[in-house]
Amino acid sequence: MSFIELKNVCKKYDKTEKNAVTNFNLAIQEKEFIAFVGPSGCGKSTTLRMIAGFEEISSGELYIDGKKMNETAPMDRGISMVFQNYALYPHMTVEKNISYGLKNMKVPADEIKKKVDWAVQILGLEEYRCRKPKNLSGGQRQRVALGRAIVKDQKVFLMDEPLSNLDAKLRVSMRNEISKLHRELGSTTIYVTHDQVEAMTMADRIVIMKDGVVQQTGEPMELYEHPCNKFVAGFIGSPQMNFYDVQVERNGITFSDGKSIALPDTVTAKLQGYDHVIMGIRGEDIKFDGQNLDVYRETRQQAVIENTEIMGNENNLYFEFGGITSVARVSKYEVSRIGDSVDFVMMPHKMHFFHPQTEEAITVQGRGGL
Amino acid sequence: MLTKKQKRNNWILVIVLIAASLFFLFPVLWMLANSFKQDAAITRDMNSIRAFVPPALKGNFFDNYVKILTDTSFVRYMLNTLFYAAVLIILGVIVNGLAGYALAKIKFPFRERWLMIIMLLMIVPMETIITIHFLFIAKVGLLNTVIGYVLPMIVNPFNIFLFRQVFVSLPDDVYEAAQLDHCSPIKYFFTMVLPMSKSVVATVSVFTFLNVWNDYLWPSLVFTSGDLLTAQIGLNAITSNDNTTMGQKLAVITMITIPVIIIYSLFSKQIVEGVVSTGSKEG
């Protein structure tokens, strides 16, 4: 049985016509790390706040550990939460911030001390325990917020974009710390983020949302490899997947700029019945190296590099093709300069096809889609 | 780095401000200097610069003050007023603070209209409703009691507005975090909201103190017993007594001025912060 279950959960605010969240269904297993991800205003934080009890559930049911929680007060739901802006008590020291909840829960003083000592030690806050939040850096404040959440021994952790206020370097290290903490404590975690990298690197399963509706739920690689629609395909992965409006031919596809590529029969067979489709391909599936140019010669094309992004470990190459600015991700050894004319191939078995109107995936690779 | 012109302008500004403050301070300095003098000396020095110079520090230097403190009940009146101020500060912070919090953070029907009504009440002068207060207090038999004096003074629309303006900028997620920390709404108000809003609490406390300390009309209506009188009424009684000398009058006025000066000099920063923060968000 699932540990947390949301059944047809909807949220509608007063004086609005549209639902903020529509028919949200999800079963979360104990100790699972789930990430809700999506663009701003997609309803991910609203869903989290409904689970926490800070937002009323307009319709549907929420179960935590087998008990219906729709009407239960936040403090009685057995949850801890880490907030986007830390929500620390500004007039209290680190130690008091962490122990405040335990005191209210009438935990014996010696046990409180033990737990606070453990939390500050595990989070590396020993030397800051007597400082107030205003004298801490962003990362330290976030650790205090984590400490406040972990000392209460709650079975569910809710995290609402906890790293969004940190700089890029600190985010990476805190990401790692949160994952480690999750493994050590074995708590069920729901993590809200708009950053797909956070979701991909931390979560056991990801729920992708758009306009209050769940688009797809699955393991990170499942979403990456088999997106169920164009939105998911575009949202997951960096740089974003290249999308082309293409015309389906008998043995291949033709791009809007008139260029054609031949595709294997296994692929074209799935496109039968379509005149037009949207073809998507990730940057790393566009190849420039000699070996791939040879293997996939049917799809061989030429383009002029318009821009390059040197990332250090890899390079992003931008070029005009198929009526759009396309991006390819290549290794750091494949150096091209702006203005270079290069040959490239698109790996046919890595192509994704989407219905031109519904934008749902057309199954080519065996999973997901229509 | 200031330019030469800016430096010169600063100096001119400082000189003008010193001159202006001396202009406003001169009656106070005159009062202070003459409060140590006997009446004959006051009259003698009236038309010379010595009017601003206190007498030599001799045995009878504090005579006027000693006379007031020993021969009148002024100490008692001052202590009474301090007590009323303390009670009204505590009750005022709680009652007006809770009202301000409700208007800032709790959703209830017609909340904005309530706020509007309270803001409109700010423009109603105390003098226009004092008769109603008096009739009510008299009707319930609370004349000449501390409760009768305190009760109508607790609620203050301006203080509610000040609290509301500060509380509205308090982050909601702190309340949510406190809820998960098993903190009740009332406990949250006292252990989180008030400590997080120290500057406005200080501002309201100072305003309340000054209000009580300087109030003459309401205590003069409520109190008839000498034991309960406030400093301002005591001041009037002492200064209008024919047996009180000019020096003694000035001494008693000086004494009644001192707490106000102390409060302003101690809390001027908080008063400014408190009023300013009612229009801005704390970082």
Side-chain angles (χ1 to χ4, degrees):
Chain A
M1 191 182 162
S2 321
F3 189 65
I4 302 174
E5 199 166 359
L6 294 103
K7 286 184 181 172
N8 295 317
V9 168
C10 295
K11 177 69 193 178
K12 191 171 184 298
Y13 288 104
D14 294 341
K15 295 171 190 165
T16 56
E17 283 183 12
K18 254 183 95 182
N19 278 1
V21 177
T22 307
N23 288 336
F24 192 105
N25 287 293
L26 183 68
I28 302 170
Q29 303 305 318
E30 198 166 5
K31 300 186 181 179
E32 205 174 4
F33 194 124
I34 292 276
F36 292 173
V37 67
S40 297
C42 71
K44 55 192 189 297
S45 285
T46 308
T47 310
L48 190 84
R49 291 172 59 76
M50 283 194 282
I51 297 171
F54 298 136
E55 295 282 356
E56 210 176 303
I57 296 173
S58 305
S59 67
E61 289 161 2
L62 165 72
Y63 294 90
I64 298 177
D65 204 6
K67 291 180 203 111
K68 194 175 172 187
M69 290 288 175
N70 288 46
E71 304 297 329
T72 309
M75 69 172 85
D76 300 322
R77 294 188 180 203
I79 54 170
S80 291
M81 187 157 169
V82 179
F83 296 83
Q84 184 175 0
N85 296 320
Y86 322 122
L88 299 179
Y89 310 132
H91 57 295
M92 292 187 189
T93 60
V94 166
E95 199 170 312
K96 284 188 176 159
N97 261 284
I98 295 174
S99 63
Y100 185 73
L102 297 173
K103 277 182 192 154
N104 288 338
M105 290 157 82
K106 308 267 185 272
V107 174
D110 54 338
E111 205 176 319
I112 292 177
K113 193 184 173 308
K114 229 184 274 174
K115 285 189 171 187
V116 173
D117 288 346
W118 166 75
V120 295
Q121 191 257 325
I122 203 169
L123 294 165
L125 290 167
E126 283 108 327
E127 53 184 304
Y128 310 109
R129 55 194 299 166
C130 295
R131 285 199 197 170
K132 288 190 177 165
K134 67 177 176 188
N135 299 321
L136 298 174
S137 68
Q140 288 158 352
R141 286 180 201 184
Q142 195 52 273
R143 282 200 198 100
V144 179
L146 278 171
R148 194 171 59 180
I150 63 174
V151 289
K152 283 182 284 182
D153 287 338
Q154 304 288 22
K155 286 184 178 172
V156 182
F157 274 3
L158 306 180
M159 300 195 187
D160 190 3
E161 307 205 29
L163 308 184
S164 60
N165 289 343
L166 305 181
D167 62 58
K169 199 176 164 193
L170 205 52
R171 269 159 100 142
V172 175
S173 77
M174 284 302 289
R175 221 157 69 188
N176 185 34
E177 281 186 42
I178 291 174
S179 295
K180 222 168 81 182
L181 213 54
H182 169 72
R183 280 195 298 278
E184 279 172 28
L185 302 174
S187 48
T188 311
T189 304
I190 304 176
Y191 187 102
V192 163
T193 178
H194 62 268
D195 181 350
Q196 50 100 17
V197 179
E198 273 175 29
M200 291 287 283
T201 51
M202 297 167 84
D204 297 322
R205 275 195 304 153
I206 298 174
V207 177
I208 299 194
M209 296 179 73
K210 182 193 171 197
D211 297 335
V213 178
V214 174
Q215 301 293 307
Q216 192 173 359
T217 304
E219 290 173 15
M221 281 318 288
E222 187 185 343
L223 300 187
Y224 191 79
E225 300 284 0
H226 309 290
C228 73
N229 59 29
K230 188 185 166 197
F231 173 79
V232 174
F235 195 83
I236 296 285
S238 176
Q240 196 188 319
M241 185 183 274
N242 301 293
F243 294 107
Y244 305 92
D245 285 319
V246 296
Q247 197 173 334
V248 180
E249 309 288 352
R250 201 165 57 83
N251 58 349
I253 48 175
T254 303
F255 293 84
S256 59
D257 59 359
K259 288 172 181 161
S260 300
I261 56 174
L263 295 175
D265 294 344
T266 48
V267 177
T268 50
K270 297 280 167 67
L271 298 178
Q272 271 180 9
Y274 292 96
D275 287 336
H276 283 87
V277 291
I278 298 166
M279 189 276 274
I281 188 159
R282 295 200 184 278
E284 68 266 28
D285 298 326
I286 299 175
K287 299 291 185 188
F288 293 81
D289 60 294
Q291 196 187 340
N292 278 309
L293 288 176
D294 202 33
V295 174
Y296 301 107
R297 54 184 170 277
E298 293 86 359
T299 68
R300 190 166 177 149
Q301 297 290 332
Q302 210 171 42
V304 176
I305 302 298
E306 288 186 342
N307 192 22
T308 60
E309 281 177 352
I310 313 293
M311 311 296 282
N313 57 338
E314 60 189 19
N315 299 328
N316 292 334
L317 307 180
Y318 290 85
F319 54 93
E320 202 67 32
F321 179 75
I324 61 159
T325 301
S326 308
V327 58
R329 211 165 80 182
V330 297
S331 85
K332 64 180 175 182
Y333 304 109
E334 293 177 75
V335 184
S336 292
R337 290 204 187 93
I338 295 170
D340 282 358
S341 180
V342 289
D343 284 355
F344 67 91
V345 291
M346 292 178 168
M347 298 167 82
H349 62 284
K350 293 288 185 183
M351 288 177 183
H352 302 260
F353 294 94
F354 304 97
H355 192 287
Q357 277 84 45
T358 64
E359 298 189 346
E360 294 292 318
I362 298 166
T363 312
V364 172
Q365 302 173 58
R367 297 183 68 174
L370 295 175
Chain B
M1 190 77 180
L2 294 177
T3 62
K4 226 172 186 178
K5 195 180 170 191
Q6 281 172 323
K7 273 185 191 168
R8 197 190 61 206
N9 287 347
N10 275 358
W11 273 110
I12 294 171
L13 190 68
V14 168
I15 291 164
V16 169
L17 287 174
I18 289 174
S21 54
L22 282 176
F23 178 76
F24 287 110
L25 266 177
F26 99 89
V28 179
L29 295 175
W30 181 85
M31 173 187 75
L32 193 65
N34 287 292
S35 69
F36 298 103
K37 295 177 188 171
Q38 300 306 313
D39 279 12
I42 295 172
T43 318
R44 188 191 64 221
D45 297 342
M46 189 68 86
N47 294 321
S48 73
I49 192 72
R50 276 162 50 197
F52 294 95
V53 183
L57 190 60
K58 282 190 247 160
N60 60 352
F61 188 78
F62 289 107
D63 262 10
N64 291 334
Y65 287 88
V66 172
K67 198 93 175 146
I68 290 293
L69 295 174
T70 53
D71 292 1
T72 71
S73 301
F74 192 66
V75 174
R76 163 131 210 164
Y77 301 153
M78 293 240 277
L79 290 175
N80 282 347
T81 317
L82 285 176
F83 172 70
Y84 303 147
V87 170
L88 277 165
I89 286 170
I90 293 167
L91 291 176
V93 166
I94 294 171
V95 173
N96 298 310
L98 284 169
Y101 185 75
L103 288 165
K105 293 289 181 188
I106 298 172
K107 284 180 185 149
F108 57 89
F110 309 114
R111 184 174 71 167
E112 300 309 315
R113 297 232 170 119
W114 276 110
L115 179 64
M116 183 74 85
I117 291 168
I118 286 168
M119 285 172 74
L120 285 174
L121 285 176
M122 280 162 56
I123 58 171
V124 179
M126 175 73 170
E127 288 73 13
T128 58
I129 50 170
I130 209 154
T131 320
I132 301 162
H133 281 168
F134 177 77
L135 291 173
F136 176 77
I137 293 298
K139 196 99 178 161
V140 292
L142 289 174
L143 280 182
N144 224 12
T145 64
V146 177
I147 299 174
Y149 169 70
V150 163
L151 214 52
M153 303 255 298
I154 298 171
V155 176
N156 183 319
F158 179 64
N159 290 347
I160 293 175
F161 177 71
L162 278 185
F163 276 123
R164 187 260 174 201
Q165 291 302 91
V166 171
F167 294 163
V168 86
S169 63
L170 292 179
D172 290 335
D173 53 7
V174 173
Y175 177 57
E176 289 167 356
Q179 275 182 286
L180 294 178
D181 272 342
H182 293 246
C183 179
S184 67
I186 289 291
K187 190 171 184 182
Y188 176 72
F189 178 78
F190 287 105
T191 61
M192 299 281 172
V193 174
L194 291 183
M196 281 194 285
S197 317
K198 275 183 198 151
S199 56
V200 73
V201 171
T203 310
V204 166
S205 302
V206 169
F207 284 169
T208 307
F209 176 83
L210 295 176
N211 204 15
V212 174
W213 193 259
N214 294 327
D215 192 17
Y216 179 81
L217 187 57
W218 179 240
S220 68
L221 287 173
V222 178
F223 294 136
T224 50
S225 153
D227 287 349
L228 295 171
L229 293 183
T230 62
Q232 291 294 342
I233 299 175
L235 170 74
N236 185 46
I238 293 164
T239 52
S240 53
N241 188 330
D242 290 343
N243 294 329
T244 311
T245 65
M246 177 58 84
Q248 287 164 3
K249 285 177 186 173
L250 293 174
V252 75
I253 296 169
T254 304
M255 280 192 278
I256 211 164
T257 313
I258 286 169
V260 178
I261 293 171
I262 292 173
I263 291 283
Y264 261 121
S265 34
L266 284 180
F267 294 101
S268 60
K269 197 179 152 202
Q270 280 84 346
I271 294 170
V272 174
E273 259 178 28
V275 175
V276 168
S277 65
T278 58
S280 69
K281 193 175 170 181
E282 213 171 328

